[in-house]
Amino acid sequence: MSSNLQVSSHPLVKHKLTRLRDIATDHRNFRELARELALLLCYEATLDLALAPSAVQTPMGEAAGWEAREVIGVVPILRAGLGLVDGIQELLPNVQVWHIGLYRDEATLRPVEYYNRLPGEPTVQLCLVLDPMLATGGSAIATVGILKRWGAKRIKFVGILAAPEGVEALHAAHPDVDIHVGELDERLNDIGFIVPGLGDAGDRMFGT
Ligand code: PRP
């Protein structure tokens, strides 16, 4: 498996992901767990964030300190990526959120773009592409392509579950993109769903 894949080993990710997969988990709990997992995975995906020295005045004097230097944008892939935005905004309240609308054509499994309001020039230095599921990888590959054409230089993918096929495809198309996921599952089935997976993330998140 590609070296830019980071599968979380955090016990809380494992615990919450198990609850998320459970067929008995209802929509409300599914959304809550997805929010919490996004926060934990965002923590891991930002471990190499660039810092600049920044001294601060404490009540006792001056302390050396740091401030995050990179302007961060999160790019949720509609619809299911929306369920990861809240958790990330808790950790990074000032992030820019740029939505990309894609759906998978059910017959071809190819992504079809339907929403993109990115401005003319890039406004961020680090993009976190959010989608709970990396299945064939088509949606992530298309989104990273859109961001690169926009001018984004540093891009990471943050998701909950990946199939080996999706990781390989994303890595082959964009080897510079780090992939952060909660778990690497066994395989894709013949209709492009991750097995054992968690079902259809968008449907479970939005009750459809
Ligand atoms: C699902 C999922 C990902 C995509 C992953 O979305 O949420 O966006 O498929 O598949 P891929 O890696 O093979 O591209 P879907 O097209 O069902 O849209 P939705 O989120 O609106 O339900």
Short mmCIF file of all heavy atoms in Angstrom, two decimals, residues 90-154:
data_model
loop_
_atom_site.label_atom_id
_atom_site.label_comp_id
_atom_site.label_asym_id
_atom_site.label_seq_id
_atom_site.Cartn_x
_atom_site.Cartn_y
_atom_site.Cartn_z
N GLU A 90 -14.56 22.87 14.54
CA GLU A 90 -14.34 22.99 15.99
C GLU A 90 -12.85 23.13 16.29
O GLU A 90 -12.45 23.86 17.19
CB GLU A 90 -14.88 21.77 16.72
CG GLU A 90 -16.37 21.88 16.97
CD GLU A 90 -16.91 20.71 17.73
OE1 GLU A 90 -16.24 20.24 18.67
OE2 GLU A 90 -18.00 20.26 17.38
N LEU A 91 -12.05 22.40 15.52
CA LEU A 91 -10.60 22.42 15.73
C LEU A 91 -9.97 23.63 15.04
O LEU A 91 -9.01 24.22 15.55
CB LEU A 91 -10.01 21.13 15.15
CG LEU A 91 -8.75 20.55 15.72
CD1 LEU A 91 -8.91 20.32 17.21
CD2 LEU A 91 -8.46 19.22 15.03
N LEU A 92 -10.48 23.98 13.88
CA LEU A 92 -9.92 25.06 13.05
C LEU A 92 -11.04 26.05 12.72
O LEU A 92 -11.62 26.01 11.64
CB LEU A 92 -9.36 24.49 11.75
CG LEU A 92 -8.28 23.40 11.86
CD1 LEU A 92 -8.04 22.74 10.50
CD2 LEU A 92 -6.98 24.00 12.38
N PRO A 93 -11.38 26.92 13.69
CA PRO A 93 -12.58 27.75 13.50
C PRO A 93 -12.48 28.73 12.34
O PRO A 93 -13.50 29.22 11.85
CB PRO A 93 -12.71 28.49 14.85
CG PRO A 93 -11.41 28.31 15.55
CD PRO A 93 -10.77 27.08 15.01
N ASN A 94 -11.25 29.04 11.90
CA ASN A 94 -11.12 30.05 10.84
C ASN A 94 -10.90 29.48 9.45
O ASN A 94 -10.54 30.22 8.54
CB ASN A 94 -9.96 30.99 11.19
CG ASN A 94 -10.25 31.77 12.46
OD1 ASN A 94 -11.37 32.23 12.65
ND2 ASN A 94 -9.27 31.86 13.34
N VAL A 95 -11.10 28.19 9.27
CA VAL A 95 -10.87 27.63 7.94
C VAL A 95 -11.86 28.18 6.92
O VAL A 95 -12.99 28.55 7.27
CB VAL A 95 -11.00 26.08 7.87
CG1 VAL A 95 -9.84 25.40 8.50
CG2 VAL A 95 -12.32 25.62 8.39
N GLN A 96 -11.40 28.24 5.68
CA GLN A 96 -12.32 28.54 4.58
C GLN A 96 -12.96 27.22 4.16
O GLN A 96 -12.30 26.19 4.14
CB GLN A 96 -11.55 29.13 3.40
CG GLN A 96 -10.84 30.43 3.72
CD GLN A 96 -10.06 30.97 2.51
OE1 GLN A 96 -10.30 30.60 1.36
NE2 GLN A 96 -9.12 31.86 2.78
N VAL A 97 -14.24 27.25 3.81
CA VAL A 97 -14.92 26.04 3.35
C VAL A 97 -15.35 26.24 1.91
O VAL A 97 -16.12 27.15 1.60
CB VAL A 97 -16.16 25.71 4.23
CG1 VAL A 97 -16.80 24.41 3.77
CG2 VAL A 97 -15.77 25.62 5.70
N TRP A 98 -14.81 25.41 1.03
CA TRP A 98 -15.13 25.48 -0.40
C TRP A 98 -15.78 24.16 -0.80
O TRP A 98 -15.14 23.12 -0.78
CB TRP A 98 -13.85 25.71 -1.22
CG TRP A 98 -13.21 27.02 -0.92
CD1 TRP A 98 -12.06 27.24 -0.21
CD2 TRP A 98 -13.68 28.32 -1.30
NE1 TRP A 98 -11.79 28.59 -0.14
CE2 TRP A 98 -12.77 29.27 -0.80
CE3 TRP A 98 -14.79 28.77 -2.02
CZ2 TRP A 98 -12.93 30.64 -0.99
CZ3 TRP A 98 -14.94 30.13 -2.22
CH2 TRP A 98 -14.03 31.05 -1.71
N HIS A 99 -17.07 24.23 -1.17
CA HIS A 99 -17.81 23.00 -1.48
C HIS A 99 -17.60 22.60 -2.94
O HIS A 99 -17.59 23.45 -3.83
CB HIS A 99 -19.31 23.22 -1.26
CG HIS A 99 -19.65 23.66 0.13
ND1 HIS A 99 -19.60 24.96 0.53
CD2 HIS A 99 -20.02 22.95 1.21
CE1 HIS A 99 -19.94 25.05 1.81
NE2 HIS A 99 -20.19 23.84 2.25
N ILE A 100 -17.45 21.29 -3.13
CA ILE A 100 -17.41 20.74 -4.49
C ILE A 100 -18.53 19.70 -4.58
O ILE A 100 -18.60 18.79 -3.74
CB ILE A 100 -16.05 20.06 -4.78
CG1 ILE A 100 -14.89 21.06 -4.70
CG2 ILE A 100 -16.08 19.37 -6.15
CD1 ILE A 100 -14.79 22.04 -5.84
N GLY A 101 -19.40 19.84 -5.56
CA GLY A 101 -20.50 18.89 -5.73
C GLY A 101 -20.18 17.86 -6.79
O GLY A 101 -19.93 18.21 -7.95
N LEU A 102 -20.14 16.60 -6.36
CA LEU A 102 -19.91 15.49 -7.29
C LEU A 102 -20.85 14.37 -6.90
O LEU A 102 -21.11 14.16 -5.72
CB LEU A 102 -18.49 14.93 -7.15
CG LEU A 102 -17.27 15.76 -7.51
CD1 LEU A 102 -16.01 14.97 -7.19
CD2 LEU A 102 -17.27 16.13 -8.98
N TYR A 103 -21.38 13.66 -7.87
CA TYR A 103 -22.04 12.40 -7.54
C TYR A 103 -21.49 11.32 -8.46
O TYR A 103 -20.99 11.63 -9.55
CB TYR A 103 -23.57 12.50 -7.65
CG TYR A 103 -24.10 12.67 -9.06
CD1 TYR A 103 -24.35 11.55 -9.86
CD2 TYR A 103 -24.33 13.93 -9.60
CE1 TYR A 103 -24.82 11.70 -11.15
CE2 TYR A 103 -24.79 14.09 -10.88
CZ TYR A 103 -25.04 12.97 -11.66
OH TYR A 103 -25.49 13.12 -12.94
N ARG A 104 -21.58 10.09 -7.99
CA ARG A 104 -21.09 8.98 -8.81
C ARG A 104 -22.21 8.50 -9.70
O ARG A 104 -23.29 8.16 -9.22
CB ARG A 104 -20.68 7.81 -7.90
CG ARG A 104 -19.32 7.91 -7.38
CD ARG A 104 -18.77 6.60 -6.90
NE ARG A 104 -19.70 5.72 -6.19
CZ ARG A 104 -19.34 4.57 -5.65
NH1 ARG A 104 -18.10 4.16 -5.75
NH2 ARG A 104 -20.20 3.82 -5.03
N ASP A 105 -21.97 8.46 -10.98
CA ASP A 105 -22.94 7.86 -11.90
C ASP A 105 -23.06 6.38 -11.52
O ASP A 105 -22.05 5.68 -11.44
CB ASP A 105 -22.44 8.01 -13.34
CG ASP A 105 -23.42 7.43 -14.33
OD1 ASP A 105 -23.55 6.18 -14.39
OD2 ASP A 105 -24.04 8.21 -15.05
N GLU A 106 -24.31 5.94 -11.24
CA GLU A 106 -24.46 4.58 -10.70
C GLU A 106 -24.04 3.50 -11.69
O GLU A 106 -23.62 2.42 -11.29
CB GLU A 106 -25.90 4.36 -10.23
CG GLU A 106 -26.15 5.08 -8.91
CD GLU A 106 -27.55 4.89 -8.39
OE1 GLU A 106 -28.30 4.06 -8.95
OE2 GLU A 106 -27.90 5.58 -7.41
N ALA A 107 -24.14 3.78 -12.98
CA ALA A 107 -23.78 2.77 -13.97
C ALA A 107 -22.27 2.72 -14.20
O ALA A 107 -21.65 1.66 -14.18
CB ALA A 107 -24.50 3.05 -15.28
N THR A 108 -21.67 3.90 -14.37
CA THR A 108 -20.24 3.91 -14.73
C THR A 108 -19.33 4.06 -13.52
O THR A 108 -18.13 3.83 -13.61
CB THR A 108 -19.94 5.09 -15.66
OG1 THR A 108 -20.17 6.31 -14.92
CG2 THR A 108 -20.82 5.08 -16.90
N LEU A 109 -19.90 4.49 -12.37
CA LEU A 109 -19.15 4.83 -11.15
C LEU A 109 -18.23 6.03 -11.35
O LEU A 109 -17.40 6.33 -10.49
CB LEU A 109 -18.36 3.63 -10.59
CG LEU A 109 -19.15 2.40 -10.14
CD1 LEU A 109 -18.21 1.33 -9.57
CD2 LEU A 109 -20.20 2.78 -9.10
N ARG A 110 -18.38 6.73 -12.49
CA ARG A 110 -17.53 7.90 -12.73
C ARG A 110 -18.15 9.13 -12.05
O ARG A 110 -19.37 9.29 -12.01
CB ARG A 110 -17.40 8.19 -14.24
CG ARG A 110 -16.70 7.09 -15.03
CD ARG A 110 -15.28 6.86 -14.53
NE ARG A 110 -14.50 8.09 -14.48
CZ ARG A 110 -13.49 8.32 -13.64
NH1 ARG A 110 -13.14 7.39 -12.75
NH2 ARG A 110 -12.84 9.46 -13.65
N PRO A 111 -17.31 10.03 -11.50
CA PRO A 111 -17.86 11.22 -10.84
C PRO A 111 -18.40 12.24 -11.84
O PRO A 111 -17.82 12.43 -12.91
CB PRO A 111 -16.63 11.79 -10.10
CG PRO A 111 -15.45 11.27 -10.84
CD PRO A 111 -15.84 9.96 -11.44
N VAL A 112 -19.52 12.84 -11.50
CA VAL A 112 -20.13 13.89 -12.33
C VAL A 112 -20.14 15.16 -11.49
O VAL A 112 -20.67 15.17 -10.39
CB VAL A 112 -21.58 13.50 -12.72
CG1 VAL A 112 -22.20 14.58 -13.59
CG2 VAL A 112 -21.61 12.14 -13.42
N GLU A 113 -19.53 16.23 -12.01
CA GLU A 113 -19.44 17.48 -11.24
C GLU A 113 -20.72 18.27 -11.40
O GLU A 113 -21.21 18.43 -12.51
CB GLU A 113 -18.23 18.29 -11.75
CG GLU A 113 -17.99 19.57 -10.95
CD GLU A 113 -16.76 20.35 -11.43
OE1 GLU A 113 -15.84 19.73 -12.03
OE2 GLU A 113 -16.73 21.57 -11.20
N TYR A 114 -21.28 18.78 -10.27
CA TYR A 114 -22.47 19.61 -10.39
C TYR A 114 -22.39 20.90 -9.59
O TYR A 114 -23.28 21.75 -9.68
CB TYR A 114 -23.74 18.83 -10.01
CG TYR A 114 -23.80 18.34 -8.57
CD1 TYR A 114 -24.32 19.14 -7.56
CD2 TYR A 114 -23.35 17.07 -8.24
CE1 TYR A 114 -24.38 18.70 -6.25
CE2 TYR A 114 -23.40 16.62 -6.93
CZ TYR A 114 -23.91 17.43 -5.94
OH TYR A 114 -23.96 16.99 -4.64
N TYR A 115 -21.34 21.10 -8.81
CA TYR A 115 -21.24 22.37 -8.06
C TYR A 115 -19.79 22.72 -7.81
O TYR A 115 -19.01 21.88 -7.34
CB TYR A 115 -21.98 22.27 -6.72
CG TYR A 115 -22.02 23.59 -5.98
CD1 TYR A 115 -22.95 24.56 -6.31
CD2 TYR A 115 -21.09 23.87 -4.98
CE1 TYR A 115 -22.96 25.79 -5.66
CE2 TYR A 115 -21.10 25.09 -4.32
CZ TYR A 115 -22.04 26.04 -4.67
OH TYR A 115 -22.05 27.25 -4.02
N ASN A 116 -19.42 23.96 -8.12
CA ASN A 116 -18.06 24.43 -7.90
C ASN A 116 -18.09 25.95 -7.97
O ASN A 116 -18.34 26.51 -9.03
CB ASN A 116 -17.13 23.85 -8.99
CG ASN A 116 -15.72 24.44 -8.93
OD1 ASN A 116 -15.43 25.32 -8.12
ND2 ASN A 116 -14.86 23.96 -9.81
N ARG A 117 -17.88 26.61 -6.83
CA ARG A 117 -17.86 28.08 -6.81
C ARG A 117 -16.51 28.59 -6.32
O ARG A 117 -16.44 29.63 -5.65
CB ARG A 117 -18.99 28.61 -5.91
CG ARG A 117 -20.39 28.34 -6.43
CD ARG A 117 -20.73 29.15 -7.67
NE ARG A 117 -20.61 30.57 -7.44
CZ ARG A 117 -21.59 31.35 -6.97
NH1 ARG A 117 -22.77 30.84 -6.72
NH2 ARG A 117 -21.40 32.65 -6.78
N LEU A 118 -15.44 27.87 -6.65
CA LEU A 118 -14.11 28.35 -6.26
C LEU A 118 -13.85 29.69 -6.95
O LEU A 118 -14.19 29.85 -8.14
CB LEU A 118 -13.03 27.34 -6.70
CG LEU A 118 -12.97 26.03 -5.93
CD1 LEU A 118 -12.07 25.03 -6.67
CD2 LEU A 118 -12.46 26.25 -4.51
N PRO A 119 -13.23 30.63 -6.24
CA PRO A 119 -12.90 31.91 -6.89
C PRO A 119 -11.76 31.73 -7.89
O PRO A 119 -11.13 30.67 -7.95
CB PRO A 119 -12.47 32.80 -5.72
CG PRO A 119 -12.03 31.86 -4.66
CD PRO A 119 -12.80 30.58 -4.85
N GLY A 120 -11.47 32.77 -8.66
CA GLY A 120 -10.47 32.68 -9.73
C GLY A 120 -9.09 32.27 -9.24
O GLY A 120 -8.43 31.44 -9.84
N GLU A 121 -8.66 32.87 -8.14
CA GLU A 121 -7.31 32.63 -7.63
C GLU A 121 -7.37 31.81 -6.36
O GLU A 121 -8.32 31.95 -5.58
CB GLU A 121 -6.62 33.98 -7.30
CG GLU A 121 -6.46 34.90 -8.49
CD GLU A 121 -5.51 34.31 -9.52
OE1 GLU A 121 -4.48 33.73 -9.13
OE2 GLU A 121 -5.83 34.42 -10.73
N PRO A 122 -6.34 30.97 -6.11
CA PRO A 122 -6.34 30.21 -4.85
C PRO A 122 -6.22 31.15 -3.65
O PRO A 122 -5.49 32.15 -3.71
CB PRO A 122 -5.11 29.31 -4.97
CG PRO A 122 -4.29 29.87 -6.05
CD PRO A 122 -5.18 30.65 -6.96
N THR A 123 -6.95 30.83 -2.59
CA THR A 123 -6.97 31.69 -1.39
C THR A 123 -6.42 30.96 -0.17
O THR A 123 -6.44 31.49 0.93
CB THR A 123 -8.42 32.13 -1.09
OG1 THR A 123 -9.22 30.94 -0.98
CG2 THR A 123 -8.98 33.02 -2.17
N VAL A 124 -5.97 29.72 -0.36
CA VAL A 124 -5.49 28.92 0.78
C VAL A 124 -4.16 28.27 0.42
O VAL A 124 -3.81 28.14 -0.76
CB VAL A 124 -6.50 27.81 1.18
CG1 VAL A 124 -7.82 28.42 1.60
CG2 VAL A 124 -6.71 26.83 0.04
N GLN A 125 -3.43 27.87 1.45
CA GLN A 125 -2.13 27.21 1.21
C GLN A 125 -2.20 25.70 1.43
O GLN A 125 -1.40 24.96 0.89
CB GLN A 125 -1.08 27.83 2.14
CG GLN A 125 -0.70 29.20 1.64
CD GLN A 125 -0.26 30.13 2.75
OE1 GLN A 125 -0.61 29.94 3.91
NE2 GLN A 125 0.49 31.13 2.39
N LEU A 126 -3.13 25.27 2.24
CA LEU A 126 -3.32 23.83 2.47
C LEU A 126 -4.80 23.51 2.29
O LEU A 126 -5.65 24.16 2.90
CB LEU A 126 -2.88 23.48 3.91
CG LEU A 126 -3.24 22.08 4.39
CD1 LEU A 126 -2.53 21.01 3.57
CD2 LEU A 126 -2.90 21.91 5.87
N CYS A 127 -5.08 22.53 1.43
CA CYS A 127 -6.48 22.09 1.23
C CYS A 127 -6.66 20.72 1.87
O CYS A 127 -5.87 19.80 1.61
CB CYS A 127 -6.80 21.93 -0.26
SG CYS A 127 -6.99 23.45 -1.14
N LEU A 128 -7.71 20.57 2.66
CA LEU A 128 -8.09 19.26 3.18
C LEU A 128 -9.36 18.85 2.47
O LEU A 128 -10.42 19.45 2.66
CB LEU A 128 -8.35 19.34 4.70
CG LEU A 128 -7.20 19.82 5.58
CD1 LEU A 128 -7.66 19.91 7.05
CD2 LEU A 128 -5.99 18.90 5.46
N VAL A 129 -9.24 17.85 1.59
CA VAL A 129 -10.41 17.34 0.86
C VAL A 129 -11.13 16.37 1.79
O VAL A 129 -10.52 15.43 2.33
CB VAL A 129 -9.98 16.61 -0.42
CG1 VAL A 129 -11.17 15.94 -1.09
CG2 VAL A 129 -9.30 17.59 -1.38
N LEU A 130 -12.44 16.59 2.00
CA LEU A 130 -13.19 15.78 2.96
C LEU A 130 -14.22 14.91 2.25
O LEU A 130 -15.06 15.42 1.49
CB LEU A 130 -13.96 16.67 3.94
CG LEU A 130 -13.19 17.77 4.66
CD1 LEU A 130 -14.14 18.52 5.59
CD2 LEU A 130 -12.02 17.18 5.42
N ASP A 131 -14.14 13.63 2.49
CA ASP A 131 -15.17 12.70 2.02
C ASP A 131 -15.07 11.48 2.90
O ASP A 131 -13.98 10.91 3.02
CB ASP A 131 -14.92 12.33 0.54
CG ASP A 131 -16.13 11.65 -0.07
OD1 ASP A 131 -16.87 10.94 0.65
OD2 ASP A 131 -16.33 11.80 -1.29
N PRO A 132 -16.16 11.06 3.54
CA PRO A 132 -16.03 9.89 4.43
C PRO A 132 -15.56 8.64 3.70
O PRO A 132 -14.91 7.80 4.30
CB PRO A 132 -17.42 9.70 5.02
CG PRO A 132 -18.33 10.58 4.25
CD PRO A 132 -17.50 11.63 3.57
N MET A 133 -15.88 8.50 2.40
CA MET A 133 -15.61 7.25 1.70
C MET A 133 -14.65 7.46 0.53
O MET A 133 -14.90 8.29 -0.34
CB MET A 133 -16.92 6.66 1.15
CG MET A 133 -18.05 6.58 2.15
SD MET A 133 -17.67 5.56 3.58
CE MET A 133 -18.23 3.98 3.01
N LEU A 134 -13.57 6.68 0.51
CA LEU A 134 -12.69 6.63 -0.65
C LEU A 134 -12.90 5.24 -1.25
O LEU A 134 -12.29 4.27 -0.81
CB LEU A 134 -11.23 6.84 -0.21
CG LEU A 134 -10.17 6.90 -1.29
CD1 LEU A 134 -10.36 8.10 -2.20
CD2 LEU A 134 -8.77 6.96 -0.66
N ALA A 135 -13.78 5.16 -2.24
CA ALA A 135 -14.18 3.85 -2.79
C ALA A 135 -13.35 3.53 -4.03
O ALA A 135 -12.26 2.98 -3.93
CB ALA A 135 -15.68 3.84 -3.04
N THR A 136 -13.84 3.91 -5.24
CA THR A 136 -12.99 3.73 -6.42
C THR A 136 -11.90 4.80 -6.47
O THR A 136 -10.91 4.66 -7.18
CB THR A 136 -13.80 3.85 -7.73
OG1 THR A 136 -14.26 5.20 -7.86
CG2 THR A 136 -14.97 2.90 -7.77
N GLY A 137 -12.15 5.90 -5.74
CA GLY A 137 -11.21 7.03 -5.75
C GLY A 137 -11.56 8.07 -6.79
O GLY A 137 -10.96 9.14 -6.83
N GLY A 138 -12.56 7.79 -7.63
CA GLY A 138 -12.90 8.72 -8.72
C GLY A 138 -13.26 10.12 -8.23
O GLY A 138 -12.80 11.12 -8.80
N SER A 139 -14.05 10.20 -7.16
CA SER A 139 -14.49 11.52 -6.66
C SER A 139 -13.30 12.30 -6.11
O SER A 139 -13.16 13.50 -6.36
CB SER A 139 -15.54 11.35 -5.56
OG SER A 139 -16.62 10.57 -6.02
N ALA A 140 -12.44 11.62 -5.36
CA ALA A 140 -11.28 12.30 -4.77
C ALA A 140 -10.31 12.74 -5.86
O ALA A 140 -9.78 13.85 -5.82
CB ALA A 140 -10.59 11.36 -3.77
N ILE A 141 -10.09 11.87 -6.84
CA ILE A 141 -9.16 12.21 -7.94
C ILE A 141 -9.67 13.44 -8.69
O ILE A 141 -8.91 14.37 -8.98
CB ILE A 141 -8.98 11.01 -8.89
CG1 ILE A 141 -8.22 9.89 -8.18
CG2 ILE A 141 -8.28 11.43 -10.18
CD1 ILE A 141 -8.23 8.55 -8.93
N ALA A 142 -10.97 13.45 -8.98
CA ALA A 142 -11.55 14.59 -9.71
C ALA A 142 -11.43 15.87 -8.88
O ALA A 142 -11.08 16.93 -9.40
CB ALA A 142 -13.01 14.30 -10.05
N THR A 143 -11.69 15.77 -7.58
CA THR A 143 -11.65 16.96 -6.71
C THR A 143 -10.23 17.50 -6.60
O THR A 143 -10.00 18.71 -6.70
CB THR A 143 -12.21 16.61 -5.32
OG1 THR A 143 -13.55 16.16 -5.48
CG2 THR A 143 -12.19 17.82 -4.40
N VAL A 144 -9.26 16.60 -6.42
CA VAL A 144 -7.86 17.06 -6.35
C VAL A 144 -7.47 17.71 -7.68
O VAL A 144 -6.79 18.74 -7.70
CB VAL A 144 -6.92 15.89 -5.98
CG1 VAL A 144 -5.46 16.31 -6.12
CG2 VAL A 144 -7.19 15.40 -4.56
N GLY A 145 -7.94 17.14 -8.79
CA GLY A 145 -7.66 17.74 -10.10
C GLY A 145 -8.23 19.15 -10.20
O GLY A 145 -7.55 20.08 -10.68
N ILE A 146 -9.46 19.33 -9.72
CA ILE A 146 -10.09 20.67 -9.73
C ILE A 146 -9.25 21.64 -8.90
O ILE A 146 -8.97 22.77 -9.30
CB ILE A 146 -11.54 20.58 -9.16
CG1 ILE A 146 -12.45 19.82 -10.12
CG2 ILE A 146 -12.09 21.96 -8.84
CD1 ILE A 146 -13.79 19.38 -9.52
N LEU A 147 -8.80 21.17 -7.72
CA LEU A 147 -8.03 22.05 -6.82
C LEU A 147 -6.67 22.39 -7.41
O LEU A 147 -6.19 23.51 -7.28
CB LEU A 147 -7.88 21.39 -5.44
CG LEU A 147 -9.19 21.22 -4.67
CD1 LEU A 147 -8.94 20.43 -3.38
CD2 LEU A 147 -9.79 22.59 -4.33
N LYS A 148 -6.04 21.41 -8.08
CA LYS A 148 -4.73 21.70 -8.69
C LYS A 148 -4.89 22.70 -9.84
O LYS A 148 -4.07 23.61 -9.98
CB LYS A 148 -4.08 20.41 -9.17
CG LYS A 148 -3.51 19.58 -8.02
CD LYS A 148 -2.74 18.38 -8.54
CE LYS A 148 -2.05 17.66 -7.38
NZ LYS A 148 -1.39 16.40 -7.83
N ARG A 149 -5.95 22.54 -10.64
CA ARG A 149 -6.17 23.50 -11.74
C ARG A 149 -6.46 24.89 -11.18
O ARG A 149 -6.14 25.91 -11.80
CB ARG A 149 -7.32 23.03 -12.65
CG ARG A 149 -6.93 21.85 -13.52
CD ARG A 149 -7.95 21.57 -14.61
NE ARG A 149 -9.21 21.06 -14.09
CZ ARG A 149 -9.39 19.78 -13.72
NH1 ARG A 149 -8.41 18.90 -13.83
NH2 ARG A 149 -10.56 19.37 -13.25
N TRP A 150 -7.05 24.94 -9.98
CA TRP A 150 -7.32 26.21 -9.28
C TRP A 150 -6.00 26.86 -8.84
O TRP A 150 -5.90 28.07 -8.68
CB TRP A 150 -8.23 25.90 -8.09
CG TRP A 150 -8.68 27.07 -7.29
CD1 TRP A 150 -9.16 28.27 -7.75
CD2 TRP A 150 -8.74 27.14 -5.86
NE1 TRP A 150 -9.51 29.07 -6.70
CE2 TRP A 150 -9.27 28.41 -5.52
CE3 TRP A 150 -8.41 26.27 -4.82
CZ2 TRP A 150 -9.47 28.82 -4.20
CZ3 TRP A 150 -8.62 26.67 -3.51
CH2 TRP A 150 -9.13 27.92 -3.20
N GLY A 151 -4.99 26.01 -8.60
CA GLY A 151 -3.69 26.54 -8.17
C GLY A 151 -3.27 26.07 -6.79
O GLY A 151 -2.25 26.52 -6.27
N ALA A 152 -4.07 25.18 -6.17
CA ALA A 152 -3.71 24.69 -4.82
C ALA A 152 -2.41 23.91 -4.90
O ALA A 152 -2.21 23.11 -5.81
CB ALA A 152 -4.83 23.80 -4.27
N LYS A 153 -1.52 24.16 -3.93
CA LYS A 153 -0.20 23.54 -3.96
C LYS A 153 -0.10 22.34 -3.01
O LYS A 153 0.57 21.36 -3.31
CB LYS A 153 0.87 24.56 -3.53
CG LYS A 153 0.99 25.73 -4.49
CD LYS A 153 1.86 25.35 -5.69
CE LYS A 153 2.04 26.52 -6.64
NZ LYS A 153 0.94 26.66 -7.58
N ARG A 154 -0.73 22.46 -1.83
CA ARG A 154 -0.59 21.39 -0.84
C ARG A 154 -1.99 20.86 -0.54
O ARG A 154 -2.85 21.63 -0.07
CB ARG A 154 0.07 21.98 0.42
CG ARG A 154 0.69 20.94 1.32
CD ARG A 154 1.79 21.59 2.16
NE ARG A 154 1.44 21.82 3.55
CZ ARG A 154 1.57 20.90 4.49
NH1 ARG A 154 1.98 19.69 4.21
NH2 ARG A 154 1.26 21.20 5.75
#
